[in-house]
Amino acid sequence: MKKGIKKTIIIVALILVALIGVIVFVAVKELQEEDILKQEIVNYSNKDLLTDDYKIEVKTTGDRAYVEEAVKKYYKNLSDNVKSINNYLNDENLISILSIENLKEDNPNFTKSHQLINTTKRNLSKAFENISNLCEEETIKNLIDKEKLSDSEYYYDLYLSLMYTEKDLEKLSKTKEEMEVISNNLNLFLDKVDEILTFLETNNTNIEYSNENIIFANNNLLNQYNTLLNELNILVNDMQELESNV
């Protein structure tokens, strides 16, 4: 009888030890994954939106994985739109749009050039709209759906402590301002190019295109053209200065 009781006690003790071991193991794993989550979010928030790669690789599980993936997708989306706007600063098609080669090929109506300008402006508007929305405080606060979290309050508060800091909000606000300036300047550039093309189109009967130059029938047209070009050059210089500071 005593041996049976003793054996039962030993079995119960072993079960309790095993359970405690499992609990400790799970607790340690939870803490380790939470540290990984924190580090991953810090790493992503410190990346360069313009130059770095935002590969989405989830390294945690459960609620942490949901938060991690949402944050990484957020930064990738923001980076993609920032890169989209900045790419136009070095777009060869835009840089060469007023080249003699393009003007000779596309005159007298400059259909392809006008289409390029309109497409670029639409894409710029869409990209900046996305950036503006992503940088809003409400977007950040609502990025995580509490209903998808098993421990909603804890992990939502953890998310806010990592993403909704004063430093993060200032950085995002600065990003929005920089992209707005670049977007506005690009639109001014495109408007001026469009104005030049319209001028050439309107006066096509008084213009000839040689291999290297545009030949105007009179000095009045030449002076108008040079004035437009000077205005464009000022915009280009402003854009180049912006690019060097971004």
Side-chain angles (χ1 to χ4, degrees), residues 207-221:
I207 296 173
E208 292 182 9
Y209 299 92
S210 69
N211 290 332
E212 297 180 357
N213 297 301
I214 305 174
I215 303 171
F216 295 93
N218 57 68
N219 286 334
N220 182 45
L221 289 177

Side-chain angles (χ1 to χ4, degrees), residues 81-96:
N81 283 280
V82 167
K83 289 170 181 172
S84 176
I85 288 179
N86 277 274
N87 283 341
Y88 288 117
L89 292 170
N90 300 303
D91 189 321
E92 287 299 327
N93 292 322
L94 292 176
I95 292 172
S96 63

Side-chain angles (χ1 to χ4, degrees), residues 97-141:
I97 194 169
L98 292 179
S99 67
I100 192 67
E101 292 82 5
N102 186 65
L103 295 178
K104 286 170 64 178
E105 178 184 339
D106 205 19
N107 83 93
N109 298 321
F110 304 105
T111 303
K112 291 182 180 179
S113 298
H114 285 303
Q115 184 176 9
L116 173 61
I117 290 171
N118 291 333
T119 300
T120 302
K121 292 184 74 172
R122 283 197 303 271
N123 291 341
L124 272 173
S125 177
K126 183 177 180 181
F128 178 69
E129 184 180 343
N130 289 338
I131 291 171
S132 180
N133 178 60
L134 288 168
C135 291
E136 292 293 329
E137 292 186 24
E138 284 302 311
T139 300
I140 301 169
K141 289 169 68 176

Side-chain angles (χ1 to χ4, degrees), residues 55-200:
K55 182 180 179 181
I56 299 175
E57 181 181 353
V58 179
K59 299 181 179 180
T60 55
T61 60
D63 286 344
R64 294 171 297 276
Y66 169 66
V67 173
E68 181 187 354
E69 185 175 19
V71 170
K72 289 184 174 181
K73 284 183 176 179
Y74 168 86
Y75 275 111
K76 185 180 186 306
N77 191 6
L78 182 59
S79 176
D80 287 346
N81 283 280
V82 167
K83 289 170 181 172
S84 176
I85 288 179
N86 277 274
N87 283 341
Y88 288 117
L89 292 170
N90 300 303
D91 189 321
E92 287 299 327
N93 292 322
L94 292 176
I95 292 172
S96 63
I97 194 169
L98 292 179
S99 67
I100 192 67
E101 292 82 5
N102 186 65
L103 295 178
K104 286 170 64 178
E105 178 184 339
D106 205 19
N107 83 93
N109 298 321
F110 304 105
T111 303
K112 291 182 180 179
S113 298
H114 285 303
Q115 184 176 9
L116 173 61
I117 290 171
N118 291 333
T119 300
T120 302
K121 292 184 74 172
R122 283 197 303 271
N123 291 341
L124 272 173
S125 177
K126 183 177 180 181
F128 178 69
E129 184 180 343
N130 289 338
I131 291 171
S132 180
N133 178 60
L134 288 168
C135 291
E136 292 293 329
E137 292 186 24
E138 284 302 311
T139 300
I140 301 169
K141 289 169 68 176
N142 295 322
L143 188 65
I144 301 300
D145 184 354
K146 287 186 179 182
E147 294 183 359
K148 293 184 178 180
L149 297 169
S150 58
D151 191 352
S152 59
E153 292 301 326
Y154 176 77
Y155 280 105
Y156 183 72
D157 289 343
L158 175 63
Y159 160 75
L160 289 181
S161 71
L162 295 169
M163 281 284 289
Y164 197 70
T165 66
E166 184 176 340
K167 180 181 177 181
D168 291 320
L169 296 177
E170 287 179 356
K171 185 176 179 180
L172 291 172
S173 177
K174 184 179 179 182
T175 296
K176 178 182 176 180
E177 290 174 3
E178 288 177 348
M179 292 303 102
E180 184 174 18
V181 171
I182 292 175
S183 179
N184 287 341
N185 275 275
L186 278 167
N187 274 296
L188 289 173
F189 167 81
L190 293 170
D191 287 342
K192 185 58 64 175
V193 171
D194 201 47
E195 185 180 351
I196 292 173
L197 292 173
T198 300
F199 169 79
L200 295 175

